[in-house]
Short mmCIF file of all heavy atoms in Angstrom, two decimals:
data_model
loop_
_atom_site.label_atom_id
_atom_site.label_comp_id
_atom_site.label_asym_id
_atom_site.label_seq_id
_atom_site.Cartn_x
_atom_site.Cartn_y
_atom_site.Cartn_z
N ASP A 1 7.09 1.39 9.92
CA ASP A 1 5.87 1.19 10.72
C ASP A 1 5.41 2.50 11.21
O ASP A 1 6.18 3.37 11.66
CB ASP A 1 6.22 0.25 11.84
CG ASP A 1 6.63 -1.19 11.24
OD1 ASP A 1 6.40 -1.49 10.04
OD2 ASP A 1 7.26 -2.00 12.03
N LEU A 2 4.10 2.57 11.33
CA LEU A 2 3.49 3.80 11.87
C LEU A 2 2.31 3.53 12.76
O LEU A 2 1.42 2.72 12.31
CB LEU A 2 3.00 4.60 10.60
CG LEU A 2 2.33 5.94 10.91
CD1 LEU A 2 3.21 6.88 11.68
CD2 LEU A 2 1.71 6.61 9.58
N ASP A 3 2.35 3.98 13.95
CA ASP A 3 1.40 3.67 14.88
C ASP A 3 0.77 5.12 15.29
O ASP A 3 1.57 5.92 15.93
CB ASP A 3 1.86 3.10 16.21
CG ASP A 3 0.78 2.57 17.09
OD1 ASP A 3 -0.43 3.05 16.92
OD2 ASP A 3 1.04 1.87 18.10
N LEU A 4 -0.38 5.43 14.91
CA LEU A 4 -0.86 6.85 14.99
C LEU A 4 -2.31 6.85 15.55
O LEU A 4 -3.21 6.24 15.05
CB LEU A 4 -0.78 7.53 13.62
CG LEU A 4 -1.57 8.95 13.54
CD1 LEU A 4 -0.82 9.97 14.34
CD2 LEU A 4 -1.48 9.21 12.06
N LYS A 5 -2.60 7.70 16.59
CA LYS A 5 -3.92 7.93 17.00
C LYS A 5 -4.12 9.57 17.08
O LYS A 5 -3.27 10.17 17.83
CB LYS A 5 -4.13 7.31 18.36
CG LYS A 5 -5.43 7.65 19.11
CD LYS A 5 -6.60 7.12 18.42
CE LYS A 5 -7.83 7.42 19.21
NZ LYS A 5 -9.00 7.42 18.40
N VAL A 6 -5.14 10.01 16.54
CA VAL A 6 -5.40 11.50 16.47
C VAL A 6 -6.81 11.61 16.98
O VAL A 6 -7.79 11.08 16.50
CB VAL A 6 -5.23 12.11 15.09
CG1 VAL A 6 -5.51 13.63 15.15
CG2 VAL A 6 -3.83 11.82 14.47
N THR A 7 -6.98 12.54 17.98
CA THR A 7 -8.29 13.04 18.35
C THR A 7 -8.35 14.44 18.05
O THR A 7 -7.62 15.20 18.67
CB THR A 7 -8.49 12.75 19.85
OG1 THR A 7 -8.22 11.34 20.18
CG2 THR A 7 -9.90 13.05 20.36
N GLY A 8 -9.21 14.87 17.23
CA GLY A 8 -9.27 16.21 16.86
C GLY A 8 -10.70 16.85 16.87
O GLY A 8 -11.69 16.22 17.24
N ASP A 9 -10.83 18.01 16.54
CA ASP A 9 -12.12 18.73 16.46
C ASP A 9 -12.88 18.57 15.15
O ASP A 9 -13.17 19.45 14.48
CB ASP A 9 -11.92 20.27 16.77
CG ASP A 9 -11.01 20.93 15.81
OD1 ASP A 9 -10.40 20.26 14.92
OD2 ASP A 9 -10.86 22.16 15.94
N LEU A 10 -13.15 17.32 14.91
CA LEU A 10 -13.80 16.94 13.68
C LEU A 10 -15.24 17.48 13.56
O LEU A 10 -15.70 17.56 12.37
CB LEU A 10 -13.78 15.38 13.55
CG LEU A 10 -12.34 14.80 13.35
CD1 LEU A 10 -12.45 13.22 13.15
CD2 LEU A 10 -11.59 15.37 12.14
N THR A 11 -15.83 17.98 14.56
CA THR A 11 -17.15 18.60 14.42
C THR A 11 -16.97 19.84 13.79
O THR A 11 -17.95 20.24 13.19
CB THR A 11 -17.78 18.69 15.83
OG1 THR A 11 -16.92 19.47 16.70
CG2 THR A 11 -18.11 17.35 16.46
N VAL A 12 -15.83 20.52 13.78
CA VAL A 12 -15.59 21.69 13.10
C VAL A 12 -15.16 21.38 11.68
O VAL A 12 -15.92 21.68 10.74
CB VAL A 12 -14.42 22.55 13.83
CG1 VAL A 12 -14.15 23.85 12.99
CG2 VAL A 12 -14.79 22.89 15.20
N ASP A 13 -14.12 20.72 11.50
CA ASP A 13 -13.65 20.13 10.18
C ASP A 13 -12.40 19.31 10.42
O ASP A 13 -11.88 19.05 11.55
CB ASP A 13 -13.58 21.18 9.07
CG ASP A 13 -12.32 22.14 9.39
OD1 ASP A 13 -11.50 21.88 10.21
OD2 ASP A 13 -12.20 23.17 8.72
N CYS A 14 -11.89 18.80 9.32
CA CYS A 14 -10.67 17.92 9.41
C CYS A 14 -9.39 18.69 9.32
O CYS A 14 -8.24 18.06 9.44
CB CYS A 14 -10.80 16.78 8.42
SG CYS A 14 -10.74 17.42 6.79
N HIS A 15 -9.37 20.01 9.11
CA HIS A 15 -8.13 20.76 8.82
C HIS A 15 -7.12 20.58 9.90
O HIS A 15 -5.94 20.31 9.64
CB HIS A 15 -8.51 22.15 8.67
CG HIS A 15 -7.35 23.12 8.64
ND1 HIS A 15 -6.67 23.36 7.40
CD2 HIS A 15 -6.72 23.80 9.60
CE1 HIS A 15 -5.61 24.23 7.71
NE2 HIS A 15 -5.68 24.42 9.05
N HIS A 16 -7.46 20.77 11.15
CA HIS A 16 -6.50 20.87 12.33
C HIS A 16 -5.91 19.47 12.43
O HIS A 16 -4.74 19.27 12.75
CB HIS A 16 -7.17 21.27 13.53
CG HIS A 16 -7.52 22.66 13.58
ND1 HIS A 16 -8.80 23.12 13.86
CD2 HIS A 16 -6.77 23.83 13.26
CE1 HIS A 16 -8.88 24.46 13.69
NE2 HIS A 16 -7.67 24.92 13.36
N SER A 17 -6.80 18.34 12.29
CA SER A 17 -6.29 16.95 12.32
C SER A 17 -5.19 16.69 11.42
O SER A 17 -4.21 16.11 11.70
CB SER A 17 -7.46 16.03 12.36
OG SER A 17 -8.24 16.12 13.49
N ILE A 18 -5.47 17.05 10.12
CA ILE A 18 -4.47 16.79 9.00
C ILE A 18 -3.24 17.60 9.26
O ILE A 18 -2.05 17.18 9.18
CB ILE A 18 -5.22 17.01 7.70
CG1 ILE A 18 -6.28 15.95 7.54
CG2 ILE A 18 -4.20 16.97 6.60
CD1 ILE A 18 -7.17 16.30 6.34
N GLU A 19 -3.39 18.87 9.52
CA GLU A 19 -2.26 19.80 9.76
C GLU A 19 -1.41 19.29 10.87
O GLU A 19 -0.14 19.25 10.67
CB GLU A 19 -2.79 21.20 10.12
CG GLU A 19 -1.69 22.27 10.36
CD GLU A 19 -2.27 23.54 10.66
OE1 GLU A 19 -3.30 23.64 11.49
OE2 GLU A 19 -1.90 24.59 10.02
N ASP A 20 -1.94 19.00 12.00
CA ASP A 20 -1.14 18.57 13.12
C ASP A 20 -0.56 17.26 12.98
O ASP A 20 0.62 16.97 13.42
CB ASP A 20 -2.02 18.61 14.47
CG ASP A 20 -2.37 20.02 14.91
OD1 ASP A 20 -1.83 21.02 14.29
OD2 ASP A 20 -3.10 20.20 15.91
N THR A 21 -1.15 16.39 12.21
CA THR A 21 -0.62 15.07 11.94
C THR A 21 0.68 15.28 11.07
O THR A 21 1.68 14.53 11.28
CB THR A 21 -1.57 14.18 11.18
OG1 THR A 21 -2.67 13.88 12.09
CG2 THR A 21 -0.96 12.87 10.89
N GLY A 22 0.60 16.13 10.07
CA GLY A 22 1.79 16.40 9.29
C GLY A 22 2.88 16.98 10.07
O GLY A 22 4.11 16.51 9.87
N ILE A 23 2.66 17.80 10.98
CA ILE A 23 3.61 18.44 11.96
C ILE A 23 4.28 17.36 12.87
O ILE A 23 5.58 17.26 12.92
CB ILE A 23 3.10 19.61 12.73
CG1 ILE A 23 2.68 20.71 11.93
CG2 ILE A 23 4.05 20.01 13.90
CD1 ILE A 23 1.80 21.80 12.56
N VAL A 24 3.53 16.54 13.40
CA VAL A 24 4.04 15.50 14.31
C VAL A 24 4.65 14.40 13.48
O VAL A 24 5.75 13.99 13.94
CB VAL A 24 2.79 14.85 15.06
CG1 VAL A 24 3.21 13.77 15.89
CG2 VAL A 24 2.29 15.90 16.06
N LEU A 25 4.24 14.06 12.33
CA LEU A 25 4.95 13.11 11.47
C LEU A 25 6.34 13.55 11.08
O LEU A 25 7.35 12.85 11.10
CB LEU A 25 4.11 12.70 10.35
CG LEU A 25 4.73 11.74 9.23
CD1 LEU A 25 5.02 10.38 10.05
CD2 LEU A 25 3.69 11.53 8.10
N GLY A 26 6.38 14.85 10.63
CA GLY A 26 7.70 15.45 10.31
C GLY A 26 8.62 15.45 11.48
O GLY A 26 9.84 15.16 11.32
N ASN A 27 8.13 15.85 12.61
CA ASN A 27 9.03 15.81 13.82
C ASN A 27 9.44 14.39 14.30
O ASN A 27 10.58 14.22 14.58
CB ASN A 27 8.30 16.50 15.07
CG ASN A 27 8.12 17.96 14.88
OD1 ASN A 27 9.02 18.68 14.18
ND2 ASN A 27 7.17 18.59 15.49
N ALA A 28 8.56 13.46 14.06
CA ALA A 28 8.84 12.04 14.41
C ALA A 28 9.93 11.54 13.45
O ALA A 28 10.90 10.83 13.86
CB ALA A 28 7.57 11.19 14.33
N ILE A 29 9.85 11.86 12.13
CA ILE A 29 10.85 11.38 11.16
C ILE A 29 12.22 12.08 11.53
O ILE A 29 13.20 11.36 11.49
CB ILE A 29 10.39 11.62 9.78
CG1 ILE A 29 9.19 10.83 9.43
CG2 ILE A 29 11.47 11.50 8.79
CD1 ILE A 29 8.53 11.10 8.08
N ARG A 30 12.16 13.37 11.77
CA ARG A 30 13.43 14.04 12.14
C ARG A 30 14.09 13.55 13.35
O ARG A 30 15.26 13.22 13.30
CB ARG A 30 13.04 15.52 12.36
CG ARG A 30 14.37 16.33 12.70
CD ARG A 30 14.15 17.77 12.90
NE ARG A 30 12.89 18.10 13.49
CZ ARG A 30 12.33 19.21 13.22
NH1 ARG A 30 12.83 20.23 12.43
NH2 ARG A 30 11.02 19.54 13.72
N LYS A 31 13.28 13.16 14.36
CA LYS A 31 13.95 12.42 15.54
C LYS A 31 14.37 11.00 15.15
O LYS A 31 15.48 10.67 15.60
CB LYS A 31 12.76 12.42 16.63
CG LYS A 31 13.35 11.83 17.91
CD LYS A 31 12.29 11.90 19.02
CE LYS A 31 12.86 11.24 20.32
NZ LYS A 31 11.76 11.19 21.29
N ALA A 32 13.66 10.26 14.42
CA ALA A 32 14.09 8.93 14.08
C ALA A 32 15.32 8.83 13.19
O ALA A 32 16.11 7.90 13.36
CB ALA A 32 12.90 8.23 13.37
N VAL A 33 15.56 9.86 12.38
CA VAL A 33 16.66 9.84 11.54
C VAL A 33 17.97 10.19 12.22
O VAL A 33 19.11 9.92 11.69
CB VAL A 33 16.66 10.54 10.18
CG1 VAL A 33 15.47 10.02 9.34
CG2 VAL A 33 16.43 12.10 10.36
N GLY A 34 17.85 10.84 13.36
CA GLY A 34 18.98 11.19 14.14
C GLY A 34 20.00 12.09 13.41
O GLY A 34 19.68 13.11 12.86
N ASP A 35 21.24 11.65 13.26
CA ASP A 35 22.31 12.41 12.60
C ASP A 35 22.28 12.12 11.03
O ASP A 35 23.10 12.65 10.27
CB ASP A 35 23.73 12.07 13.15
CG ASP A 35 24.14 10.70 12.89
OD1 ASP A 35 23.31 9.85 12.27
OD2 ASP A 35 25.18 10.34 13.41
N LYS A 36 21.35 11.36 10.62
CA LYS A 36 21.13 11.08 9.18
C LYS A 36 22.16 10.22 8.49
O LYS A 36 22.19 9.98 7.27
CB LYS A 36 20.89 12.26 8.39
CG LYS A 36 19.70 13.19 8.97
CD LYS A 36 19.53 14.42 8.14
CE LYS A 36 18.61 15.41 8.84
NZ LYS A 36 18.71 16.73 8.32
N ARG A 37 23.10 9.69 9.31
CA ARG A 37 24.17 8.84 8.75
C ARG A 37 23.53 7.68 8.01
O ARG A 37 22.70 6.91 8.51
CB ARG A 37 25.11 8.39 9.90
CG ARG A 37 26.31 7.64 9.46
CD ARG A 37 27.32 7.38 10.43
NE ARG A 37 27.79 8.83 10.74
CZ ARG A 37 28.35 9.12 11.91
NH1 ARG A 37 28.51 8.35 12.81
NH2 ARG A 37 28.81 10.48 12.12
N GLY A 38 24.04 7.46 6.82
CA GLY A 38 23.59 6.32 5.95
C GLY A 38 22.25 6.50 5.29
O GLY A 38 21.84 5.55 4.65
N ILE A 39 21.68 7.66 5.39
CA ILE A 39 20.42 7.95 4.74
C ILE A 39 20.65 8.86 3.59
O ILE A 39 21.37 9.90 3.67
CB ILE A 39 19.44 8.55 5.77
CG1 ILE A 39 19.03 7.67 6.95
CG2 ILE A 39 18.12 8.97 5.11
CD1 ILE A 39 18.27 8.17 7.93
N ARG A 40 20.07 8.54 2.49
CA ARG A 40 20.14 9.53 1.29
C ARG A 40 19.32 10.73 1.64
O ARG A 40 18.23 10.64 2.35
CB ARG A 40 19.54 8.82 0.11
CG ARG A 40 20.40 7.70 -0.32
CD ARG A 40 19.87 7.07 -1.64
NE ARG A 40 20.83 6.04 -2.10
CZ ARG A 40 20.57 5.24 -3.12
NH1 ARG A 40 19.32 5.34 -3.72
NH2 ARG A 40 21.30 4.28 -3.39
N ARG A 41 19.78 11.83 1.22
CA ARG A 41 19.20 13.16 1.56
C ARG A 41 17.74 13.30 0.94
O ARG A 41 16.93 13.89 1.78
CB ARG A 41 20.12 14.29 0.93
CG ARG A 41 19.52 15.58 1.27
CD ARG A 41 20.31 16.77 0.70
NE ARG A 41 19.38 17.75 0.36
CZ ARG A 41 19.57 18.90 -0.32
NH1 ARG A 41 20.80 19.01 -0.80
NH2 ARG A 41 18.72 19.74 -0.44
#
């Protein structure tokens, strides 16, 4: 499940919104997997 809201500088372009979403998603997954026990690498 994914609940995501991004407010970005879309008047400039979408680059920052996409880039920051990737960073936040990666950090959220890292936090959610914890010690990674029981998860395939």
Side-chain angles (χ1 to χ4, degrees):
D1 296 343
L2 178 63
D3 189 350
L4 170 66
K5 172 69 177 158
V6 178
T7 304
D9 56 354
L10 295 179
T11 55
V12 176
D13 68 14
C14 62
H15 170 88
H16 294 125
S17 294
I18 294 170
E19 177 182 48
D20 289 356
T21 298
I23 292 168
V24 171
L25 180 59
N27 287 334
I29 291 171
R30 179 178 30 212
K31 183 177 178 182
V33 299
D35 66 5
K36 303 175 190 169
R37 184 166 295 155
I39 297 175
R40 293 184 178 171
R41 179 184 149 189

